[in-house]
Structures are given as C-alpha cells and as structure tokens.
C-alpha cells in the first residue's frame, strides 16, 4: 500500500497567473498544499491561491514577494520556476538584446528565484525544485536560438544543483513540455502550428493540466529518488533528446 503523498507544503510558482503556471498552481492547491504565485500584471486568481507581485528580472521584487509568501505560508518547500518568454527570430535578425532579454527572464530569472528559495530548503532539510524548460531546449528549433539556449541551460542548473545539494533532501528536476495550448503558442502563425502538429507522434497539442499533473508528481513523495532528470511532456516530439 502506498503512503499518502505530502500535502500542506509551501509552494511557489513563478508566472502562475496564467497558462501552464496557473494550471500547476491549481494542481498543488487540489493536492492540499499552500500555494502562492508570482504575477506581473494584475489578474484574478482562483480562491485559495496567494498572488504576489514580482518580476523575475528584478531581484528586489522577488525578495519582497518571498517575504510575503514566507509570512503567509512559511519557507518555500516546492519551487516551480515557470516564468518564461519567447522572442523568436532567425539568427541573422536576432539582436543581442533579443538574446540577453530571453536569457535574463528564462535562465537568470530561474537562478534568482532558486538562490532566494534555497536557504530555506537547506534549513528545512528538504525541498523540491522544478524548472519548466521546453522540448526545444535539447531538440533545438530554428528561430529560437535565444529561447532554446535558455531552456537547455536549466538542465545544467538542475543537474549541478542535484550534485551540490542532493544529500540535503533536495531534488531538482526539469519538466520539458512540447506544444501546450496557452497564450504563448496561440501567438504562433497557423503554418508553424500545423508544422508542429505534423511532427508530434501523439497527433495533438496538450492542455496545461497535462503538464501540471507531472509537475505535482515530480514534486511529491513518490518521486523522492528522482533528481537531475528531464521529464518530457511532449507527445513524443523530442524522444531521446
Ligand atoms: P504564457 O505566455 O501563457 O505565460 C507566461 C508566464 O510567465 C506569465 O505568467 C507571465 O507573467 C510570466 N512571466 C514572463 N516574464 C516574466 C518576468 N520577467 N517575471 C515574472 N513573470 C514573468 O506562457 P506558458 O504558460 O505557455 O509558458 C509557461 C512556461 O512553460 C514558460 O517557461 C514557457 O517557456 C514554458 N513552455 C511553454 C510551452 C507551450 O507550448 N506553451 C512549451 C514548452 C515550454 P505576466 O502574465 O505578468 O506576463
């Protein structure tokens, strides 16, 4: 008989006001955890989720947000670094700002929240870090040199963290979604969407909840011995990458 997985933990999801992040937040809430999300733009959140304003490119705003979460829910035990942006264009047209701004949000932003959360986890002698990467991090994608570099960087971050703090009851994993129906993908031209659909073995796009369930599982007791892993949620698009 399996034991009941942990509940009542302090969970923080960055960029949890919409899309995949919001689905993840709702999943943890349904699991009985205390859930907070960061948002930049004001949005209505479901009852029971604490919203804290923060921009992952701004360390001071993150610190203020963490203080609010710690006061309300205690130190963050489950961190989901989900906030992310795209600025797609082909290499010849990609400016240095197009590159560094995406890295600053997706990769350095994840580092900033990790750095802020980790002391609390070390003190607790337990913690779960989940980085939301992308299939294109390891598969590659034309027009996404900035984005794929930022997303593959998260794999190195999770693996180094695993080697550094794996003995402290802390796990760090990467969830790599494929094509998920959110605002981010709705922006893509129809031709691009059709191209993706043709190459996905599952023959469909996924809903954010399908990613959220995997995140909840990897952050749970059942997955306590999994760390430094890259878990694809991509309908077979990236197989082996
Ligand atoms: P959305 O564009 O729907 O949402 C992005 C979220 O990130 C929003 O909550 C946004 O906040 C937040 N965000 C962006 N920049 C910052 C910032 N500087 N500081 C704080 N928050 C920020 O994206 P998705 O839900 O689709 O994507 C979520 C994650 O999943 C991203 O990391 C993305 O790269 C990844 N992903 C998505 C896939 C997809 O198919 N949709 C596939 C693979 C990976 P605000 O509302 O304030 O703008």
């Amino acid at each position: 008989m399996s034991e009941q997985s942990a509940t009542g933990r302090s969970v923080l999801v960055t960029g949890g006001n919409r899309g995949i992040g919001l689905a993840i937040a709702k999943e943890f809430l349904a699991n009985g955890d205390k859930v907070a999300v960061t948002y930049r733009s004001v949005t209505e959140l479901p009852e029971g989720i604490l919203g804290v304003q923060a921009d992952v490119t701004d360390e001071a705003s993150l610190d203020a947000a963490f203080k609010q979460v710690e006061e309300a829910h205690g130190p963050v035990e489950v961190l989901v670094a989900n906030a992310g942006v795209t600025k797609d264009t082909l290499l010849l047209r990609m400016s240095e700002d197009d590159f560094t701004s995406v890295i600053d949000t997706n990769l350095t932003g994840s580092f900033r929240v990790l750095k802020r959360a980790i002391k609390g986890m070390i003190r607790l002698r337990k913690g779960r870090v989940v980085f939301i990467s992308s299939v294109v991090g390891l598969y590659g994608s034309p027009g996404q040199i900035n984005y794929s570099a930022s997303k593959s960087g998260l794999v190195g971050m999770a693996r180094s963290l695993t080697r550094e703090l794996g003995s402290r009851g802390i796990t760090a994993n990467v969830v790599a979604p494929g094509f998920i129906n959110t605002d981010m993908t709705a922006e893509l031209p129809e031709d691009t969407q059709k191209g993706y659909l043709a190459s996905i073995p599952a023959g469909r796009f996924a809903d954010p909840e399908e990613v959220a369930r995997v995140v909840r599982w990897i952050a749970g007791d059942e997955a306590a011995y999994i760390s430094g892993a890259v878990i694809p949620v991509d309908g077979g698009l990236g197989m082996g990458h």
Side-chain angles (χ1 to χ4, degrees), residues 14-22 38-43 54-57 81-86 105-106 132-136 147 151 175-185 187:
T14 63
N17 53 313
R18 59 192 169 99
I20 295 173
L22 178 59
T38 72
Y39 66 89
R40 287 183 306 177
S41 37
V42 180
T43 5
D55 187 318
V56 297
T57 64
N82 163 79
V85 289
T86 50
T105 300
N106 299 3
I132 307 300
S133 175
S134 163
V135 63
V136 309
Y147 182 75
K151 293 300 190 181
V175 170
F179 197 110
I180 315 298
N181 289 313
T182 68
D183 296 344
M184 186 178 271
T185 44
E187 279 172 16

Side-chain angles (χ1 to χ4, degrees), residues 19 36 42 52 56 66 72 76-77 80 115 121 137 141 145 147 161 163-164 193 197 202 209 215 221 226:
V42 180
V52 289
V56 297
F66 265 85
V76 173
E77 187 180 330
V80 184
K115 182 89 200 284
M121 292 185 188
S141 166
I145 280 185
Y147 182 75
L161 181 62
R163 294 200 189 278
E164 207 169 303
Q193 296 202 21
L197 193 55
E209 291 71 26
V215 174
D221 289 344
I226 301 175

Side-chain angles (χ1 to χ4, degrees), residues 27-60:
E27 188 69 34
F28 280 107
L29 189 69
N31 186 56
D33 290 305
K34 294 175 283 185
V35 183
V37 299
T38 72
Y39 66 89
R40 287 183 306 177
S41 37
V42 180
T43 5
E44 222 173 286
L45 291 168
E47 216 184 306
I49 294 178
L50 171 68
V52 289
Q53 198 163 12
D55 187 318
V56 297
T57 64
D58 174 4
E59 202 183 331

Side-chain angles (χ1 to χ4, degrees), residues 22-203:
L22 178 59
I24 294 170
K26 286 183 182 166
E27 188 69 34
F28 280 107
L29 189 69
N31 186 56
D33 290 305
K34 294 175 283 185
V35 183
V37 299
T38 72
Y39 66 89
R40 287 183 306 177
S41 37
V42 180
T43 5
E44 222 173 286
L45 291 168
E47 216 184 306
I49 294 178
L50 171 68
V52 289
Q53 198 163 12
D55 187 318
V56 297
T57 64
D58 174 4
E59 202 183 331
S61 77
L62 278 174
D63 186 50
F66 265 85
K67 280 185 178 135
Q68 272 178 268
V69 175
E70 287 160 352
E71 221 161 86
H73 295 163
V76 173
E77 187 180 330
V78 179
L79 174 68
V80 184
N82 163 79
V85 289
T86 50
K87 228 181 215 183
D88 300 350
T89 189
L90 295 171
L91 177 59
L92 286 177
R93 289 198 206 110
M94 190 176 285
S95 67
E96 187 168 326
D97 183 65
D98 292 335
F99 186 83
T100 54
S101 62
V102 169
I103 298 284
D104 195 29
T105 300
N106 299 3
L107 184 59
T108 319
S110 298
F111 165 76
R112 288 186 193 100
V113 285
L114 170 66
K115 182 89 200 284
R116 183 58 181 75
I118 204 70
K119 268 190 204 157
M121 292 185 188
I122 291 171
R123 265 188 231 116
L124 286 172
R125 295 197 68 78
K126 57 182 173 180
R128 293 279 187 274
V129 180
V130 185
F131 296 107
I132 307 300
S133 175
S134 163
V135 63
V136 309
L138 298 177
Y139 193 71
S141 166
Q144 294 198 301
I145 280 185
N146 48 2
Y147 182 75
S148 65
S150 73
K151 293 300 190 181
S152 57
L154 295 172
V155 177
M157 206 182 287
R159 291 185 171 168
S160 296
L161 181 62
T162 293
R163 294 200 189 278
E164 207 169 303
L165 290 170
S167 63
R168 312 281 188 103
I170 295 167
T171 69
N173 289 289
V174 172
V175 170
F179 197 110
I180 315 298
N181 289 313
T182 68
D183 296 344
M184 186 178 271
T185 44
E187 279 172 16
L188 292 170
E190 210 171 302
D191 278 1
T192 312
Q193 296 202 21
K194 277 190 185 148
Y196 272 116
L197 193 55
S199 57
I200 298 168

